[in-house]
Amino acid sequence: MTQEDGALDDLVRQRIRGLRVARGWSLDALAARCHLSPSTLSRLETGHRRIALDQLVLLARALGTTLDQLVEPADDSDVVIRPTHERGSGVTTWLLSRGGAPHGRTVAKMRIEPDRPYDTLGVHPGRDWFTVLSGTAVLRLGDRTVFVESGQAAEFATMVPHAIGARGGPCEILTILDHDGEHAHLSEPT
């Protein structure tokens, strides 16, 4: 067995124990669900016995997970996002989530320059949300103008014509957009 195999074995053991503990199950309770003896299960979790494939299948089923999820290798590439920036019409955008994010949400950091025009109001289905990291955002909602300061957040229905600008200098926001919001705010106009 290689060192890499040993690390994966340890990770699988940690996952089994972690899922068991998270469910509040004793060794006896999990052993009964997967038809193993509590002593066998204890030796599997502690590394005193190798885990056989048939045992992994039984454990995954009993723990309410899949075999793939149980044995998936740990890899930072599924955790760390190294965003690149895109510039366009007074806004620099860094995507902070991957494509295919849960529930179709996109997370982005945006730097809005004060000279960015925000007189053209857009409309799309859904809701938008953002928090201001620095500066002051100018949120135009129909005939209303709302100033959102650093540390504050805004959420609004996007069927109201809207646009976001900056007041008195650059403004940085963190935004969460649904599919329609991503298309409307992060795509280049055609």
Side-chain angles (χ1 to χ4, degrees), residues 45-110:
E45 282 188 4
T46 59
H48 292 102
R49 182 172 177 172
R50 291 200 39 98
I51 305 172
L53 182 58
D54 60 332
Q55 292 169 328
L56 279 175
V57 171
L58 294 172
L59 286 163
R61 188 175 301 131
L63 291 166
T65 189
T66 66
L67 182 61
D68 288 346
Q69 290 173 323
L70 206 54
V71 300
E72 177 180 52
D75 182 3
D76 286 346
S77 68
D78 69 337
V79 176
V80 177
I81 297 171
R82 292 172 179 82
T84 58
H85 65 278
E86 292 185 23
R87 289 192 175 112
S89 55
V91 177
T92 305
T93 304
W94 294 264
L95 290 181
L96 303 177
S97 58
R98 291 183 172 78
H103 311 293
R105 302 277 193 272
T106 298
V107 179
K109 176 183 169 186
M110 300 172 87

Side-chain angles (χ1 to χ4, degrees), residues 130-137 146-153 167 171:
F130 69 86
T131 187
V132 179
L133 303 173
S134 65
T136 301
V146 179
F147 298 104
V148 187
E149 304 287 334
S150 179
Q152 296 178 331
R167 176 182 180 200
C171 171

Side-chain angles (χ1 to χ4, degrees), residues 3-30:
Q3 185 175 2
E4 192 173 299
D5 291 338
L8 182 58
D9 278 359
D10 289 343
L11 181 62
V12 170
R13 293 174 199 289
Q14 290 171 8
R15 286 177 178 160
I16 291 168
R17 183 175 176 2
L19 288 168
R20 177 180 63 77
V21 170
R23 285 164 175 71
W25 295 346
S26 65
L27 284 168
D28 290 331
L30 177 56

Side-chain angles (χ1 to χ4, degrees), residues 103-106 122-128 158-159 162 176-187:
H103 311 293
R105 302 277 193 272
T106 298
V123 176
H124 58 85
R127 297 188 69 77
D128 277 0
T158 54
M159 289 304 286
H162 62 281
I176 299 175
L177 304 165
D178 61 15
H179 175 72
D180 294 314
E182 175 187 1
H183 182 69
H185 294 290
L186 302 180
S187 301

Side-chain angles (χ1 to χ4, degrees), residues 118-124 139-144 156-164 185:
Y118 57 95
D119 51 346
T120 302
L121 306 180
V123 176
H124 58 85
L139 174 60
R140 297 243 349 252
L141 289 173
D143 295 333
R144 296 172 52 198
F156 54 94
T158 54
M159 289 304 286
V160 175
H162 62 281
I164 302 171
H185 294 290

